Amino acid sequence: MKNLCRFGFDSGSEDRRGMILIIAMLIMAIMSIIGAAAMNTSRIDIQISHNTEVARQAFYFADSGLEMSPKIIRKAIDDGSMAAVPNVVIDGGLFNEIMGYATETDSVTAAVPTADLQLVMGKTSLMADIDRTGTGFMAGSGVEFASGAEGAGAGTTGGVLIFYTLDSIGAAPRQARSNIDAYYRYVVGVAGGK
């Protein structure tokens, strides 16, 4: 009677080599599955990273529209003219809108392709809309008003407020979009206008 090993195979060396070959192939198949899963996970992580990058690009472009808008408003009110901004297309009616001579009721949306400020750099773009929403006076007593008017050499107009809404849309590759809305209050006669 032949010697049988624990697994029911003949204890001959040829059978052991066959068993080792089967085990090695199983290990290689398992390792291939693990490798394919790791490659798939890496591919998905790279896609997520790229999507995050273009979403940030869109956000930063929209944010730059909000950074640029108050500077353009201050320049228009303080100097009485529109400032030229390199690479930015400024709508011809923006000065009248900032000064309150004309109004615009539409804000920038995906359906409205025009804006007060437009900037395109490669595959990223910015559209910003500036709307004047009203005016007012700073609250306080006559003494507070007078002391505010004396500060910083601003004159007697230190208590007039002009309110604006700012709507900025940044677009980046892969249809990434970011829309940021903000309110801006310009204080006439105060250095910096804030």
Side-chain angles (χ1 to χ4, degrees):
M1 187 165 187
K2 292 183 179 178
N3 254 344
L4 296 178
C5 70
R6 214 160 98 177
F7 299 108
F9 295 107
D10 188 4
S11 62
S13 65
E14 290 178 18
D15 289 338
R16 275 190 249 147
R17 275 187 276 171
M19 184 64 176
I20 291 173
L21 180 63
I22 291 172
I23 291 173
M25 289 181 70
L26 283 173
I27 291 173
M28 285 181 62
I30 291 170
M31 295 300 283
S32 296
I33 290 170
I34 292 172
M39 285 177 53
N40 189 40
T41 301
S42 296
R43 183 181 54 80
I44 290 170
D45 286 345
I46 289 170
Q47 287 176 344
I48 289 171
S49 174
H50 189 262
N51 288 342
T52 302
E53 177 185 347
V54 295
R56 283 185 182 156
Q57 284 177 347
F59 173 77
Y60 291 145
F61 253 69
D63 190 46
S64 69
L66 292 184
E67 284 290 322
M68 189 180 346
S69 297
K71 292 174 178 129
I72 290 173
I73 292 169
R74 285 195 306 265
K75 184 78 169 164
I77 293 173
D78 293 343
D79 296 347
S81 65
M82 286 303 299
V85 181
N87 302 321
V88 176
V89 177
I90 299 176
D91 182 55
L94 180 60
F95 179 76
N96 289 334
E97 194 176 338
I98 288 172
M99 299 304 287
Y101 305 144
T103 59
E104 177 185 281
T105 56
D106 295 334
S107 63
V108 177
T109 62
V112 180
T114 60
D116 292 326
L117 306 173
Q118 293 184 13
L119 171 64
V120 177
M121 293 179 66
K123 294 182 179 182
T124 54
S125 66
L126 157 72
M127 293 190 316
D129 186 50
I130 300 171
D131 291 320
R132 183 173 173 156
T133 57
T135 59
F137 294 100
M138 291 182 77
S141 67
V143 173
E144 290 170 339
F145 181 78
S147 66
E150 294 169 2
T156 60
T157 59
V160 177
L161 305 173
I162 305 172
F163 300 99
Y164 296 91
T165 58
L166 310 174
D167 186 21
S168 184
I169 296 176
R174 300 182 85 173
Q175 299 177 356
R177 294 178 71 80
S178 182
N179 186 358
I180 304 175
D181 297 325
Y183 296 99
Y184 177 67
R185 178 189 72 180
Y186 181 83
V187 181
V188 178
V190 174
K194 292 182 181 180

